[in-house]
Amino acid sequence: MIDVKTVDGIAVVTLVHGKANTLDTEFCDAVAKKFKELEASDARGVVLTGQGRMFSAGVDLVRLAHGGAAYVREFLPALHRLFEAVFFHRKPVIAAVNGHAIAGGAVLACCADRRVMAREGGRIGVTELQVGVPFPVMAFEAVRFAVPPRYLNEFILGASTYSSDEALTKGWVDEVVEPDALAERALAVARQYAALSPAAFALSKRQIRQLAADNVRARKADDEAANGIWAAPETLNYIKDYVAKTLKK
């Protein structure tokens, strides 16, 4: 599920889960666990990337449709743990967006401190409303934190995806580089951040993200409402129809 190697003191975490790095309970828990382990390791920073032309296609909708409400209740807490572990990681986290980052995959990229994307490597965007599901609070706060406020409404309600150049213009990502330069550029940014005082970096990062943390704690009612919509029979039927029309083509 995960390949980890160390380059110049930076842990390079590559997602390797099926063809599309889709997010299911086990994968979310495995990545969250790895980030917790890296906090206690000697690694000075993390580069998070995917395989081939896929960063992550987001939630495994096929499994969600088949698993029903029982699986939804198991999966959503795992998704929260994943985003929380990456978003609040004390060390520098750089997303090397090598390919498509869709829905939950885009949220995962938003959890990083910086996003570097391969030019024309794929598309990025949050398509949750196309699928018929709202944003769990942790996911929403990660996106709200990462993107320019002027585009938040468009990104969330428009539910569209963007090419690398569009993503750079509208603030989905911080940099776009040629695909063969992606790995080294992400490592260079990670090394730059890792050269700072670890204690000062960790505290500053916590301060920057404190409002998001407060919102996550304060919006428990919204999370319960979102969970209820995800598990509702009509939502699961909508997801099944979406899978049949879109993913089975």
Side-chain angles (χ1 to χ4, degrees):
M1 287 185 176
I2 310 166
D3 177 72
V4 182
K5 64 179 180 180
T6 302
V7 180
D8 297 335
I10 306 298
V12 179
V13 176
T14 304
L15 306 177
V16 186
H17 186 49
K19 294 181 179 180
N21 292 328
T22 50
L23 306 176
D24 57 30
T25 301
E26 294 79 11
F27 189 43
C28 288
D29 280 342
V31 179
K33 180 181 178 183
K34 178 54 62 178
F35 268 78
K36 292 297 184 183
E37 291 173 353
L38 289 172
E39 279 202 327
S41 75
D42 293 333
R44 295 181 292 114
V46 182
V47 169
L48 177 63
T49 192
Q51 54 182 332
R53 288 176 58 89
M54 188 62 69
F55 183 77
S56 172
V59 174
D60 187 339
L61 296 176
V62 174
R63 184 165 176 192
L64 196 74
H66 288 298
Y71 177 71
V72 169
R73 287 190 289 269
E74 170 190 296
F75 169 71
L76 288 178
L79 186 67
H80 178 102
R81 291 191 293 269
L82 166 64
F83 294 151
E84 183 179 54
V86 180
F87 188 81
F88 294 113
H89 192 77
R90 293 185 297 104
K91 299 176 183 180
V93 179
I94 310 303
V97 185
N98 56 296
H100 299 299
I102 309 299
V107 177
L108 182 58
C110 285
C111 291
D113 297 305
R114 286 186 68 83
R115 286 158 294 287
V116 184
M117 190 173 187
R119 176 166 283 110
E120 298 182 358
R123 300 183 70 83
I124 186 170
V126 283
T127 57
E128 276 76 355
L129 266 63
Q130 285 191 34
V131 181
V133 295
F135 285 76
V137 169
M138 184 67 238
F140 188 92
E141 292 300 330
V143 174
R144 192 211 304 261
F145 175 85
V147 305
R150 63 178 293 196
Y151 290 119
L152 182 64
N153 186 76
E154 174 187 329
F155 292 165
I156 298 291
L157 301 182
S160 297
T161 62
Y162 300 81
S163 69
S164 57
D165 288 342
E166 292 172 321
L168 179 62
T169 297
K170 293 195 170 185
W172 265 119
V173 297
D174 301 294
E175 297 182 50
V176 170
V177 299
E178 296 304 319
D180 59 1
L182 178 66
E184 183 49 45
R185 178 55 189 158
L187 278 168
V189 177
R191 287 193 292 264
Q192 177 187 352
Y193 281 17
L196 303 170
S197 160
F201 181 91
L203 178 57
S204 298
K205 181 172 179 175
R206 189 175 76 201
Q207 291 171 324
I208 290 169
R209 298 180 180 228
Q210 188 61 52
L211 180 58
D214 293 342
N215 287 342
V216 170
R217 283 193 293 269
R219 296 179 57 209
K220 293 188 182 299
D222 286 347
D223 233 6
E224 291 173 2
N227 292 350
I229 294 172
W230 276 68
E234 56 268 29
T235 302
L236 293 170
N237 288 333
Y238 193 103
I239 292 171
K240 289 177 183 178
D241 289 343
Y242 180 87
V243 169
K245 294 175 182 177
T246 307
L247 302 186
K248 298 294 186 181
K249 287 182 180 179

